[in-house]
Short mmCIF file of all heavy atoms in Angstrom, two decimals:
data_model
loop_
_atom_site.label_atom_id
_atom_site.label_comp_id
_atom_site.label_asym_id
_atom_site.label_seq_id
_atom_site.Cartn_x
_atom_site.Cartn_y
_atom_site.Cartn_z
N MET Q 20 24.29 11.31 25.40
CA MET Q 20 24.31 11.85 26.80
C MET Q 20 25.07 13.17 26.82
O MET Q 20 24.76 14.10 27.55
CB MET Q 20 24.85 10.80 27.77
CG MET Q 20 24.20 9.57 27.78
SD MET Q 20 22.34 9.75 28.11
CE MET Q 20 22.48 10.32 29.74
N TYR Q 67 5.98 19.25 31.64
CA TYR Q 67 6.20 18.62 32.81
C TYR Q 67 5.37 19.45 33.94
O TYR Q 67 5.12 18.76 34.94
CB TYR Q 67 7.71 18.52 33.20
CG TYR Q 67 8.38 17.36 32.59
CD1 TYR Q 67 9.26 17.66 31.53
CD2 TYR Q 67 8.22 16.11 32.91
CE1 TYR Q 67 9.91 16.57 30.94
CE2 TYR Q 67 8.87 15.02 32.24
CZ TYR Q 67 9.67 15.32 31.27
OH TYR Q 67 10.25 14.23 30.60
N TYR Q 81 3.24 12.80 29.41
CA TYR Q 81 3.70 12.00 28.33
C TYR Q 81 2.63 11.89 27.15
O TYR Q 81 2.93 11.96 25.99
CB TYR Q 81 4.04 10.51 28.71
CG TYR Q 81 5.08 10.50 29.81
CD1 TYR Q 81 5.14 9.46 30.74
CD2 TYR Q 81 6.19 11.45 29.86
CE1 TYR Q 81 6.07 9.37 31.70
CE2 TYR Q 81 7.11 11.28 30.79
CZ TYR Q 81 7.04 10.32 31.74
OH TYR Q 81 8.09 10.32 32.65
N PHE Q 102 15.17 13.24 21.73
CA PHE Q 102 15.25 12.70 23.12
C PHE Q 102 16.81 12.69 23.49
O PHE Q 102 17.59 12.15 22.66
CB PHE Q 102 14.56 11.48 23.36
CG PHE Q 102 13.17 11.50 22.86
CD1 PHE Q 102 12.86 11.35 21.61
CD2 PHE Q 102 12.10 11.87 23.78
CE1 PHE Q 102 11.48 11.32 21.09
CE2 PHE Q 102 10.90 11.95 23.30
CZ PHE Q 102 10.49 11.66 21.87
N TYR Q 103 17.07 12.95 24.84
CA TYR Q 103 18.40 12.78 25.18
C TYR Q 103 18.78 11.25 25.33
O TYR Q 103 17.91 10.46 25.57
CB TYR Q 103 18.84 13.57 26.38
CG TYR Q 103 18.36 12.98 27.81
CD1 TYR Q 103 19.13 12.08 28.53
CD2 TYR Q 103 17.11 13.22 28.20
CE1 TYR Q 103 18.72 11.49 29.65
CE2 TYR Q 103 16.76 12.75 29.39
CZ TYR Q 103 17.51 11.85 30.11
OH TYR Q 103 17.15 11.28 31.38
N GLY Q 104 19.95 10.83 25.13
CA GLY Q 104 20.32 9.43 25.24
C GLY Q 104 19.88 8.75 24.02
O GLY Q 104 19.98 9.21 22.93
N HIS Q 105 19.41 7.47 24.18
CA HIS Q 105 18.79 6.75 23.18
C HIS Q 105 17.30 7.02 23.19
O HIS Q 105 16.55 7.00 24.20
CB HIS Q 105 19.10 5.20 23.35
CG HIS Q 105 18.53 4.36 22.38
ND1 HIS Q 105 17.20 4.31 21.93
CD2 HIS Q 105 19.26 3.38 21.60
CE1 HIS Q 105 17.16 3.41 20.85
NE2 HIS Q 105 18.33 2.81 20.74
N PRO Q 106 16.62 7.34 21.97
CA PRO Q 106 15.20 7.76 22.02
C PRO Q 106 14.27 6.67 22.43
O PRO Q 106 13.09 6.92 22.65
CB PRO Q 106 14.97 8.26 20.65
CG PRO Q 106 15.96 7.46 19.79
CD PRO Q 106 17.21 7.26 20.64
N GLY Q 107 14.74 5.38 22.49
CA GLY Q 107 13.86 4.37 22.77
C GLY Q 107 14.13 3.69 24.04
O GLY Q 107 13.43 2.66 24.43
N ILE Q 108 15.02 4.13 24.88
CA ILE Q 108 15.32 3.60 26.19
C ILE Q 108 14.84 4.45 27.29
O ILE Q 108 15.16 5.59 27.39
CB ILE Q 108 16.87 3.38 26.34
CG1 ILE Q 108 17.39 2.39 25.25
CG2 ILE Q 108 17.25 2.82 27.76
CD1 ILE Q 108 18.71 1.96 25.34
N PHE Q 109 13.79 3.91 28.03
CA PHE Q 109 13.14 4.65 29.05
C PHE Q 109 12.51 5.95 28.47
O PHE Q 109 12.83 7.05 29.10
CB PHE Q 109 14.05 4.92 30.36
CG PHE Q 109 14.26 3.65 31.09
CD1 PHE Q 109 15.17 2.79 30.81
CD2 PHE Q 109 13.42 3.42 32.23
CE1 PHE Q 109 15.31 1.68 31.56
CE2 PHE Q 109 13.53 2.22 32.99
CZ PHE Q 109 14.47 1.32 32.65
N ALA Q 110 11.92 5.88 27.39
CA ALA Q 110 11.40 7.00 26.72
C ALA Q 110 10.13 6.68 25.98
O ALA Q 110 10.02 6.40 24.77
CB ALA Q 110 12.45 7.53 25.69
N GLY Q 132 20.46 5.80 19.53
CA GLY Q 132 21.36 7.00 20.06
C GLY Q 132 22.24 6.27 21.16
O GLY Q 132 21.98 5.03 21.62
N ILE Q 133 23.21 7.05 21.72
CA ILE Q 133 24.00 6.54 22.75
C ILE Q 133 23.30 6.85 24.15
O ILE Q 133 22.89 7.98 24.47
CB ILE Q 133 25.36 7.25 22.73
CG1 ILE Q 133 26.09 6.86 21.45
CG2 ILE Q 133 26.24 6.94 24.01
CD1 ILE Q 133 27.48 7.44 21.36
N SER Q 134 23.03 5.78 24.88
CA SER Q 134 22.27 5.88 26.14
C SER Q 134 23.21 6.00 27.35
O SER Q 134 24.41 5.83 27.31
CB SER Q 134 21.46 4.64 26.26
OG SER Q 134 22.28 3.50 26.55
N ALA Q 135 22.58 6.27 28.55
CA ALA Q 135 23.25 6.28 29.79
C ALA Q 135 23.99 4.97 30.05
O ALA Q 135 25.03 4.93 30.52
CB ALA Q 135 22.30 6.54 30.79
N LEU Q 136 23.35 3.87 29.57
CA LEU Q 136 23.99 2.56 29.77
C LEU Q 136 25.20 2.42 28.93
O LEU Q 136 26.25 1.82 29.46
CB LEU Q 136 22.94 1.47 29.34
CG LEU Q 136 23.40 0.06 29.50
CD1 LEU Q 136 23.86 -0.33 30.90
CD2 LEU Q 136 22.38 -0.93 29.00
N ASP Q 137 25.20 3.01 27.77
CA ASP Q 137 26.46 2.90 26.88
C ASP Q 137 27.61 3.69 27.56
O ASP Q 137 28.67 3.21 27.57
CB ASP Q 137 26.15 3.56 25.51
CG ASP Q 137 25.09 2.69 24.71
OD1 ASP Q 137 25.42 1.62 24.60
OD2 ASP Q 137 24.07 3.34 24.32
N CYS Q 138 27.26 4.86 28.13
CA CYS Q 138 28.31 5.73 28.80
C CYS Q 138 28.79 4.93 30.04
O CYS Q 138 30.04 4.94 30.41
CB CYS Q 138 27.77 7.09 29.30
SG CYS Q 138 27.21 7.92 27.82
N LEU Q 139 27.85 4.31 30.74
CA LEU Q 139 28.16 3.63 32.01
C LEU Q 139 29.12 2.51 31.75
O LEU Q 139 30.13 2.31 32.47
CB LEU Q 139 26.81 3.08 32.58
CG LEU Q 139 26.66 2.31 33.87
CD1 LEU Q 139 25.18 2.49 34.23
CD2 LEU Q 139 27.10 0.90 33.75
N THR Q 157 13.62 1.23 38.92
CA THR Q 157 13.73 0.96 40.32
C THR Q 157 12.41 0.73 41.07
O THR Q 157 12.22 -0.19 41.73
CB THR Q 157 14.43 2.26 41.07
OG1 THR Q 157 15.72 2.32 40.44
CG2 THR Q 157 14.68 1.93 42.49
N ILE Q 174 21.36 -3.25 36.86
CA ILE Q 174 21.24 -1.83 36.67
C ILE Q 174 19.80 -1.30 37.07
O ILE Q 174 18.88 -1.87 36.45
CB ILE Q 174 21.46 -1.41 35.14
CG1 ILE Q 174 22.70 -2.06 34.57
CG2 ILE Q 174 21.40 0.08 34.98
CD1 ILE Q 174 23.97 -1.46 35.10
N LEU Q 175 19.72 -0.34 37.97
CA LEU Q 175 18.44 0.23 38.42
C LEU Q 175 18.43 1.66 37.92
O LEU Q 175 19.16 2.46 38.37
CB LEU Q 175 18.27 -0.06 39.92
CG LEU Q 175 18.02 -1.47 40.35
CD1 LEU Q 175 17.75 -1.40 41.96
CD2 LEU Q 175 16.82 -2.08 39.70
N TRP Q 176 17.48 1.89 37.03
CA TRP Q 176 17.17 3.20 36.45
C TRP Q 176 16.21 4.04 37.40
O TRP Q 176 15.41 3.38 38.06
CB TRP Q 176 16.66 3.08 35.05
CG TRP Q 176 17.42 2.34 34.07
CD1 TRP Q 176 17.67 0.92 34.06
CD2 TRP Q 176 18.17 2.95 32.94
NE1 TRP Q 176 18.47 0.65 33.03
CE2 TRP Q 176 18.67 1.78 32.25
CE3 TRP Q 176 18.30 4.22 32.32
CZ2 TRP Q 176 19.51 1.91 31.17
CZ3 TRP Q 176 19.04 4.26 31.30
CH2 TRP Q 176 19.64 3.28 30.61
N GLN Q 177 16.37 5.26 37.27
CA GLN Q 177 15.48 6.15 38.00
C GLN Q 177 15.38 5.93 39.52
O GLN Q 177 14.33 6.00 40.09
CB GLN Q 177 14.00 6.08 37.29
CG GLN Q 177 14.01 6.36 35.93
CD GLN Q 177 12.73 6.64 35.22
OE1 GLN Q 177 12.56 7.43 34.34
NE2 GLN Q 177 11.66 6.00 35.74
N VAL Q 178 16.56 5.59 40.00
CA VAL Q 178 16.64 5.46 41.49
C VAL Q 178 16.32 6.75 42.23
O VAL Q 178 15.93 6.80 43.36
CB VAL Q 178 18.00 4.89 41.94
CG1 VAL Q 178 19.20 5.82 41.64
CG2 VAL Q 178 17.97 4.35 43.37
N GLY Q 179 16.44 7.96 41.51
CA GLY Q 179 16.29 9.22 42.09
C GLY Q 179 14.88 9.49 42.34
O GLY Q 179 14.55 10.47 43.01
N VAL Q 180 13.98 8.73 41.74
CA VAL Q 180 12.52 8.87 42.12
C VAL Q 180 11.96 7.56 42.61
O VAL Q 180 10.85 7.14 42.53
CB VAL Q 180 11.70 9.35 40.88
CG1 VAL Q 180 11.94 10.68 40.51
CG2 VAL Q 180 11.86 8.43 39.61
N TYR Q 216 25.97 6.31 39.63
CA TYR Q 216 26.50 6.81 38.38
C TYR Q 216 25.81 7.87 37.75
O TYR Q 216 24.49 7.80 37.65
CB TYR Q 216 26.59 5.55 37.27
CG TYR Q 216 27.23 5.99 36.06
CD1 TYR Q 216 28.51 6.43 35.88
CD2 TYR Q 216 26.25 6.18 35.00
CE1 TYR Q 216 28.98 6.82 34.56
CE2 TYR Q 216 26.68 6.51 33.68
CZ TYR Q 216 28.08 6.81 33.49
OH TYR Q 216 28.52 7.30 32.35
N GLU Q 217 26.59 8.94 37.46
CA GLU Q 217 25.85 10.11 36.67
C GLU Q 217 26.83 10.64 35.62
O GLU Q 217 27.91 11.06 35.94
CB GLU Q 217 25.71 11.27 37.59
CG GLU Q 217 24.52 11.05 38.65
CD GLU Q 217 24.53 11.99 39.88
OE1 GLU Q 217 25.24 13.05 39.78
OE2 GLU Q 217 23.88 11.70 40.86
N ALA Q 218 26.50 10.29 34.39
CA ALA Q 218 27.45 10.70 33.17
C ALA Q 218 27.44 12.19 33.10
O ALA Q 218 26.31 12.79 33.26
CB ALA Q 218 26.90 10.04 31.97
N ALA Q 219 28.53 12.77 32.92
CA ALA Q 219 28.62 14.28 32.60
C ALA Q 219 27.85 14.44 31.32
O ALA Q 219 27.89 13.70 30.34
CB ALA Q 219 30.07 14.68 32.40
N THR Q 220 27.03 15.50 31.28
CA THR Q 220 26.21 15.77 30.14
C THR Q 220 26.89 16.87 29.29
O THR Q 220 26.38 17.26 28.21
CB THR Q 220 24.77 16.01 30.38
OG1 THR Q 220 24.68 17.09 31.32
CG2 THR Q 220 24.16 14.82 30.95
N GLU Q 224 30.59 19.65 33.37
CA GLU Q 224 30.20 18.65 34.41
C GLU Q 224 31.31 17.71 34.56
O GLU Q 224 32.02 17.38 33.66
CB GLU Q 224 28.91 18.09 34.04
CG GLU Q 224 27.68 18.82 34.15
CD GLU Q 224 26.35 18.24 33.83
OE1 GLU Q 224 26.49 17.05 33.45
OE2 GLU Q 224 25.36 18.85 33.90
N LYS Q 242 20.08 12.13 42.44
CA LYS Q 242 19.53 13.09 41.53
C LYS Q 242 18.63 12.27 40.50
O LYS Q 242 18.61 11.06 40.48
CB LYS Q 242 20.54 13.73 40.70
CG LYS Q 242 21.53 14.61 41.46
CD LYS Q 242 22.37 15.49 40.39
CE LYS Q 242 23.48 16.17 41.06
NZ LYS Q 242 24.47 16.53 40.16
N GLN Q 243 17.80 13.04 39.68
CA GLN Q 243 17.00 12.38 38.64
C GLN Q 243 17.78 11.61 37.72
O GLN Q 243 17.31 10.67 37.16
CB GLN Q 243 16.12 13.50 37.95
CG GLN Q 243 14.87 13.82 38.56
CD GLN Q 243 14.19 14.86 37.73
OE1 GLN Q 243 14.22 16.03 38.05
NE2 GLN Q 243 13.61 14.48 36.68
N ILE Q 244 19.06 12.09 37.54
CA ILE Q 244 19.92 11.36 36.48
C ILE Q 244 20.74 10.15 37.12
O ILE Q 244 21.41 9.58 36.30
CB ILE Q 244 20.86 12.46 35.78
CG1 ILE Q 244 21.82 12.92 36.76
CG2 ILE Q 244 20.05 13.43 34.97
CD1 ILE Q 244 22.97 13.68 36.21
N THR Q 245 20.56 9.95 38.35
CA THR Q 245 21.53 8.94 39.05
C THR Q 245 20.95 7.52 38.50
O THR Q 245 19.85 7.29 38.53
CB THR Q 245 21.46 8.89 40.60
OG1 THR Q 245 21.42 10.39 40.97
CG2 THR Q 245 22.41 8.10 41.15
N THR Q 246 21.87 6.77 38.16
CA THR Q 246 21.69 5.32 37.95
C THR Q 246 22.43 4.39 38.89
O THR Q 246 23.53 4.70 39.24
CB THR Q 246 22.12 4.98 36.44
OG1 THR Q 246 21.44 5.74 35.51
CG2 THR Q 246 21.85 3.48 36.17
N LEU Q 247 21.74 3.42 39.46
CA LEU Q 247 22.36 2.50 40.38
C LEU Q 247 22.92 1.30 39.78
O LEU Q 247 22.14 0.65 38.96
CB LEU Q 247 21.26 2.20 41.42
CG LEU Q 247 21.70 1.37 42.66
CD1 LEU Q 247 22.76 2.24 43.47
CD2 LEU Q 247 20.45 0.97 43.54
C1 SAM X 29 13.75 8.67 31.59
S1 SAM X 29 15.27 7.82 31.60
C2 SAM X 29 16.09 8.44 30.11
C3 SAM X 29 17.15 7.43 29.55
C4 SAM X 29 17.75 7.87 28.32
N1 SAM X 29 16.75 7.90 27.36
C5 SAM X 29 18.98 7.04 27.96
O1 SAM X 29 19.06 6.57 26.75
O2 SAM X 29 19.87 6.83 28.70
C6 SAM X 29 15.95 8.61 32.84
C7 SAM X 29 16.97 7.76 33.64
O3 SAM X 29 18.16 7.52 32.84
C8 SAM X 29 19.29 7.46 33.65
N2 SAM X 29 20.13 8.68 33.27
C9 SAM X 29 19.69 9.79 32.75
N3 SAM X 29 20.66 10.68 32.62
C10 SAM X 29 21.85 10.02 33.14
C11 SAM X 29 23.15 10.49 33.36
N4 SAM X 29 23.64 11.63 32.97
N5 SAM X 29 23.92 9.58 33.89
C12 SAM X 29 23.66 8.36 34.24
N6 SAM X 29 22.24 7.99 34.16
C13 SAM X 29 21.41 8.86 33.50
C14 SAM X 29 18.91 7.60 35.08
O4 SAM X 29 18.69 6.27 35.59
C15 SAM X 29 17.54 8.19 34.86
O5 SAM X 29 16.70 8.18 36.01
#
Side-chain angles (χ1 to χ4, degrees):
M20 302 304 296
Y67 282 108
Y81 300 151
F102 304 84
Y103 78 91
H105 187 302
I108 296 187
F109 285 85
I133 294 182
S134 70
L136 179 61
D137 296 302
C138 297
L139 183 159
T157 305
I174 309 289
L175 289 181
W176 300 70
Q177 303 196 148
V178 67
V180 290
Y216 174 70
E217 290 164 13
T220 56
E224 287 178 359
K242 293 188 191 164
Q243 269 177 265
I244 62 164
T245 313
T246 298
L247 186 61

